[in-house]
Amino acid sequence: MFFSLTPCLRLLTGRRCLLYCRSIVSENSDRRAAVDNAVSAFRSICGEDGISLGEAVREQHGKDESVHRCCPPDVVVFPRCVEEVSALAKVCHQHRLPIIPFGTGTGLEGGVGAVKGGVCFSLRNMDQVLDLHPEDFDVTVEPGVTRKALNTYLRDTGLWFPVDPGADASLCGMAATSASGTNAVRYGTMRENVVNLEVVLADGSIIHTAGKGRRPRKTSAGYNLTNLFVGSEGTLGIITKTTLRLYGIPEAMVSAVCSFPSVQEAVDSTVQILQAGVPIARIEFLDDVMIDACNRFSSLSYSVSPTLFLEFHGSEQSLEEQVSTTEDITQSNGGSDFQWARDAETRSRLWKARHDAWYAALALRPGCKAYATDVCVPLSRLPQIIVETKEDLIESRLTGPIAGHVGDGNFHCLMVVDPSDPDELHRVHLFTERLARRALAMDGTCTGEHGVGLGKQALLREEMGPLSIQVMQGLKDALDPLNLMNPGKILQQVEL
Ligand SMILES: Cc1cc2nc3c(=O)[nH]c(=O)nc-3n(C[C@H](O)[C@H](O)[C@H](O)COP(=O)(O)OP(=O)(O)OC[C@H]3O[C@@H](n4cnc5c(N)ncnc54)[C@H](O)[C@@H]3O)c2cc1C
């Protein structure tokens, strides 16, 4: 198969080189002229209020929550409907202007940076929940709807959308990065929960990845276009609608905190809990440095040692069983008694503290910036990789509290870095590359949930191998032959 594929891909690659020469207008003077020509067309599509050339607005849309520096677009547009998105994309296509979709800017990989200038499509004005089908457990939303807004909307229906990256991200941005977070161990990631997408391609055409209006629970109808766009980080098209799976709110929920003598025992417990088939809803690991930071930041008083935050969902009876099996396992691994959070307020305080881990880490060194790694490995390799990573952090003289969605084999080192110290930045760079390669050597991935963005292109190539990268490039060329969609991300590396 590879032999018949390769010549075809070579052709695509050659075609791409030709196209690239006459593709996006990235030279500053040419681009300025193209923007000037496009602006009046933008105004006529989305009105005077629907476009901004102001420096503050452009800067606000040129960066996310990552350490990557701000790369402002030339102009920001605020479409109100898919027809406007399509018309704006057609103008960009005509003038060869890059298009950068913007959700809520909570990304951690520099995905919204306009590294080649161009037009930022801020989708916040498209914020309607469109079709709710409670009896079918699905809903369709526009790209400005955030996960918290959706769950507020659903409050009286007995349903909820569980994918929870902590930040109040837009649901289409979450689809674009294939986000997950604390509930993924039980409910899956965006990949498992997106049923259909409406996407505007670079030339302005509008497609529906599972067919217009379709929302079956399963399908074997042709190529899986939906999952092609999930995780495409704005490089293939602008997601203007997503249909999502919903779940019944569990009858009962209870959270608990348990500390351990060592990392190995905490992570061994995680593996054993999952091997025992406990349908745990959340199981989050915090190392001693992280729990100490959370204690200080969120006024808590947990023991400063490796810790698990756990949550159980189900009927009262099933909770009893889940908790009892879990307690047996944690105690056999030297875990402390559980500290319980049963009422909604205490549970929400506990999980807020976990979600604030990023800010707690930052507070360890005021004035510094944070960079979060997000490798993911098969579960059985988790104890080894976390233990080795902690040793590496000490040897590298770096501050990097560890928190992770360990139930999925996914963990974060929240590196707190002084951006004005080149030696420290260099050590962080070497450490993060070593960590990613350690994960690859253990059959894992360099990014479990944040995406490739601006910094992980070389690691992606190592992870995938040249033929798979060629296939990805062929798909990109087929959908976006002028390389207008979010250039510089995933496949193409740009010197910054
Ligand atoms: C404190 C904190 C904790 C976090 N924890 C987690 C976590 O546990 N798990 C996790 O997965 N993530 C986590 N994140 C990262 C972030 O919330 C996710 O990556 C989220 O999916 C980004 O959504 P957004 O709407 O903010 O996207 P943005 O930051 O606006 O954009 C991210 C990327 O998606 C593209 N994009 C955005 N909207 C669209 C669209 N409509 N169509 C096409 N492309 C689009 C952008 O071009 C960009 O490449 C965390 C972030 C913070 C700040």
Side-chain angles (χ1 to χ4, degrees):
M1 185 192 99
F2 286 142
F3 291 113
S4 60
L5 201 58
T6 309
C8 152
L9 288 166
R10 278 205 199 102
L11 277 179
L12 273 170
T13 309
R15 182 168 149 258
R16 176 171 58 90
C17 292
L18 280 177
L19 286 168
Y20 192 68
C21 298
R22 56 184 166 80
S23 66
I24 58 172
V25 264
S26 55
E27 292 302 325
N28 276 348
S29 53
D30 290 353
R31 206 179 68 234
R32 294 260 168 247
V35 171
D36 289 345
N37 290 333
V39 158
S40 58
F42 291 157
R43 281 207 175 93
S44 68
I45 294 164
C46 45
E48 196 59 46
D49 293 347
I51 162 169
S52 178
L53 293 153
E55 192 177 330
V57 174
R58 290 190 298 108
E59 297 223 331
Q60 187 199 338
H61 287 84
K63 73 178 304 304
D64 55 15
E65 297 263 358
S66 69
V67 280
H68 292 288
R69 75 177 168 80
C70 178
C71 295
D74 298 301
V75 52
V76 184
V77 291
F78 300 90
R80 292 160 294 195
C81 59
V82 63
E83 290 76 19
E84 289 189 3
V85 175
S86 165
L88 290 164
K90 282 180 183 156
V91 176
C92 292
H93 193 254
Q94 184 196 343
H95 293 278
R96 306 289 193 259
L97 283 169
I99 296 171
I100 308 102
F102 188 99
T104 47
T106 68
L108 297 176
E109 294 297 338
V112 296
V115 293
K116 297 262 178 195
V119 185
C120 171
F121 281 52
S122 172
L123 299 156
R124 70 175 189 211
N125 289 343
M126 296 171 69
D127 60 355
Q128 296 303 304
V129 177
L130 295 173
D131 289 309
L132 171 63
H133 299 104
E135 64 290 2
D136 295 326
F137 295 84
D138 66 57
V139 67
T140 301
V141 299
E142 288 191 323
V145 177
T146 67
R147 64 173 188 90
K148 283 189 184 169
L150 176 61
N151 280 327
T152 303
Y153 181 92
L154 293 172
R155 199 158 41 202
D156 299 328
T157 64
L159 299 172
W160 71 313
F161 182 68
V163 182
D164 172 5
D168 190 19
S170 74
L171 291 155
C172 290
M174 286 167 59
T177 61
S178 190
S180 49
T182 55
N183 286 313
V185 63
R186 167 83 175 256
Y187 299 96
T189 71
M190 288 306 278
R191 280 206 196 278
E192 290 81 38
N193 285 293
V194 174
V195 177
N196 199 349
L197 295 169
E198 178 184 81
V199 180
V200 174
L201 300 179
D203 64 0
S205 47
I206 303 171
I207 64 160
H208 297 87
T209 57
K212 192 169 183 183
R214 303 200 183 282
R215 45 193 180 85
R217 300 291 282 187
K218 57 187 269 197
T219 173
S220 54
Y223 299 132
N224 189 337
L225 293 183
T226 303
N227 269 350
L228 176 62
F229 283 89
V230 173
S232 62
E233 299 180 42
T235 64
L236 298 181
I238 307 155
I239 302 171
T240 47
K241 260 187 217 167
T242 176
T243 302
L244 301 166
R245 293 172 81 134
L246 299 176
Y247 296 79
I249 295 175
E251 178 190 316
M253 298 186 195
V254 61
S255 304
V257 178
C258 180
S259 53
F260 292 84
S262 73
V263 173
Q264 182 83 40
E265 280 143 331
V267 181
D268 282 350
S269 298
T270 306
V271 175
Q272 290 162 19
I273 290 164
L274 293 166
Q275 281 169 344
V278 176
I280 196 138
R282 288 168 156 173
I283 183 159
E284 295 285 302
F285 170 78
L286 295 87
D287 76 351
D288 50 339
V289 187
M290 189 76 259
I291 194 78
D292 191 29
C294 288
N295 278 345
R296 291 161 197 251
F297 188 79
S298 301
S299 307
L300 303 169
S301 53
Y302 293 120
S303 155
V304 178
S305 52
T307 300
L308 289 178
F309 283 11
L310 309 118
E311 188 163 271
F312 306 89
H313 294 176
S315 64
E316 294 289 356
Q317 195 189 341
S318 90
L319 284 199
E320 256 178 52
E321 264 175 44
Q322 293 183 44
V323 167
S324 146
T325 311
T326 304
E327 265 183 325
D328 287 348
I329 291 170
T330 52
Q331 280 172 10
S332 72
N333 284 299
S336 67
D337 287 342
F338 281 3
Q339 283 180 264
W340 295 105
R342 290 182 191 278
D343 60 285
E345 198 182 317
T346 320
R347 274 193 300 107
S348 106
R349 186 154 169 254
L350 174 71
W351 291 107
K352 179 161 184 342
R354 166 60 190 92
H355 287 324
D356 282 346
W358 171 265
Y359 304 103
L362 271 172
L364 288 175
R365 294 180 69 192
C368 287
K369 297 244 179 194
Y371 174 72
T373 64
D374 70 323
V375 300
C376 184
V377 293
L379 259 190
S380 62
R381 312 307 299 272
L382 197 57
Q384 187 190 347
I385 195 169
I386 295 193
V387 169
E388 288 180 12
T389 301
K390 278 195 75 76
E391 285 164 7
D392 194 353
L393 277 167
I394 293 165
E395 279 164 26
S396 309
R397 291 174 289 116
L398 291 170
T399 308
I402 293 179
H405 318 304
V406 281
D408 298 312
N410 181 200
F411 70 96
H412 307 301
C413 259
L414 301 168
M415 315 294 307
V416 193
V417 199
D418 177 356
S420 64
D421 181 345
D423 175 59
E424 188 177 348
L425 286 171
H426 184 60
R427 278 181 285 125
V428 168
H429 176 71
L430 295 179
F431 167 84
T432 53
E433 297 235 315
R434 270 196 307 277
L435 172 54
R437 296 210 165 93
R438 203 175 290 133
L440 295 184
M442 293 185 187
D443 302 333
T445 173
C446 66
T447 174
E449 55 182 19
H450 297 162
V452 176
L454 277 175
K456 293 186 195 148
Q457 288 99 331
L459 290 165
L460 179 74
R461 278 194 288 278
E462 285 176 37
E463 183 168 328
M464 291 294 158
L467 276 179
S468 299
I469 289 289
Q470 278 183 347
V471 172
M472 285 191 186
Q473 187 65 62
L475 292 166
K476 166 80 175 161
D477 292 340
L479 290 165
D480 178 21
L482 300 180
N483 188 30
L484 299 181
M485 288 305 314
N486 208 0
K489 318 292 159 55
I490 301 192
L491 293 172
Q492 183 199 8
Q493 203 152 5
V494 180
E495 282 303 318
L496 291 175

